[in-house]
Amino acid sequence: MANSTVDMMLGGLESDKESSPLETSVIIPNSTSVIINSVLNALLIPICIAGNVLVLAAVWRNPSLRTPSTILLCSLAVSDLLVGFLALPINIAIALTPLSRVSSQSRLPQARIFLIIQLCCVSLETMTAISVDRYLAL
């Protein structure tokens, strides 16, 4: 009788180890796709930084360009500049870090997601404001 109870308990434990519907699965990307994505992001970083710095420098040097419309454009340039300085390098660093080194306790992946969401929201809100400004200008 004792053996059957122990067997039932162990059998129950073994069935708990099987995947449950609530268990999340981790999709590990192919290493070539990670490398291609990282190379493309690395190529976009200087383009992103240079283009947005040129926009900000042009508005800074020419006071005649400082209209409400171009101030909104500068806001968009600053948010995109932050993407080039922060979001893309962090994204590359996390993508190239082996999964064994990124532990579940690490806050870097969570910080990356938070940063990307915040910068995307700022960019979308600024583009919406520019669209409303252009609509009202018509």
Side-chain angles (χ1 to χ4, degrees):
M1 174 107 178
N3 287 339
S4 64
T5 306
V6 171
D7 290 339
M8 286 176 38
M9 289 175 63
L10 290 177
L13 288 176
E14 289 174 1
S15 66
D16 288 345
K17 290 181 182 177
E18 295 176 4
S19 63
S20 66
L22 298 177
E23 186 178 322
T24 59
S25 62
V26 176
I27 299 173
I28 300 172
N30 189 356
S31 62
T32 56
S33 65
V34 169
I35 292 172
I36 290 171
N37 187 16
S38 298
V39 167
L40 290 176
N41 279 334
L43 292 175
L44 286 176
I45 289 173
I47 295 169
C48 177
I49 292 172
N52 289 305
V53 166
L54 286 174
V55 168
L56 293 172
V59 174
W60 180 268
R61 289 184 165 236
N62 296 324
S64 63
L65 292 177
R66 295 182 192 155
T67 63
S69 297
T70 55
I71 298 301
L72 288 173
L73 188 65
C74 287
S75 174
L76 184 61
V78 167
S79 69
D80 289 343
L81 190 63
L82 289 174
V83 168
F85 271 128
L86 297 174
L88 290 178
I90 290 173
N91 196 23
I92 291 171
I94 290 175
L96 294 178
T97 303
L99 289 177
S100 61
R101 295 183 70 198
V102 178
S103 67
S104 61
Q105 304 295 328
S106 176
R107 298 284 185 197
L108 193 58
Q110 294 172 354
R112 173 189 65 162
I113 292 170
F114 177 77
L115 182 67
I116 289 172
I117 289 173
Q118 293 301 315
L119 290 174
C120 286
C121 287
V122 168
S123 293
L124 288 173
E125 290 169 356
T126 305
M127 286 188 282
T128 302
I130 291 171
S131 299
V132 169
D133 179 58
R134 294 292 87 209
Y135 177 75
L136 293 176
L138 291 175

